[in-house]
Amino acid sequence: LDQPVANIMTKGDRLVTVVNGQDQKVVTSYEGEISIRSSSDRHAGRTMAIISINLFLLNLLPIPILDGGHLLFYCIEGVKGAPLSMRKMELAQQIGLMLLMILMVFALFNDITNLFNRW
């Protein structure tokens, strides 16, 4: 149990470093489906557990299109006493979707770059 927890903490530290733009090596270490597939052949069970935990944590981020974003909307509604307007929620959902798409393209770009660097 110590290793998965340490893995989660490392991912969190990496995410903060990427957002702050502090270390380019960390930026290139994010992987997408291609890299995950190549490593999952060797360590299938462990890799699937780590992917599940990472997806759980990613889903709880306060990005509006994810579950964490819905929780954020509920918190705002609780503090404000009324729900946000439909237009504000739609705009937040669109921004959240754009952020997720950028993250996916970023991971795919790193995968392709790493794949060509191996050859």
Side-chain angles (χ1 to χ4, degrees), residues 56-75:
F56 166 74
L57 293 175
L58 179 71
N59 200 29
L60 288 180
L61 289 176
I63 298 174
I65 204 162
L66 300 175
D67 289 341
H70 292 289
L71 293 174
L72 180 67
F73 286 148
Y74 295 144
C75 289

Side-chain angles (χ1 to χ4, degrees), residues 29-101:
S29 69
Y30 274 96
E31 300 174 337
E33 294 179 32
I34 297 170
S35 296
I36 289 171
R37 175 68 181 139
S38 65
S39 68
S40 68
D41 290 342
R42 290 172 278 172
H43 310 285
R46 181 171 176 248
T47 301
M48 293 308 293
I50 291 171
I51 290 171
S52 294
I53 292 169
N54 284 337
L55 284 174
F56 166 74
L57 293 175
L58 179 71
N59 200 29
L60 288 180
L61 289 176
I63 298 174
I65 204 162
L66 300 175
D67 289 341
H70 292 289
L71 293 174
L72 180 67
F73 286 148
Y74 295 144
C75 289
I76 291 171
E77 183 177 342
V79 169
K80 187 178 169 187
L84 288 174
S85 70
M86 187 61 75
R87 178 68 189 135
K88 289 180 183 176
M89 289 176 60
E90 287 173 353
L91 183 63
Q93 295 284 352
Q94 291 171 353
I95 291 171
L97 180 61
M98 293 280 285
L99 289 172
L100 283 177
M101 295 300 288

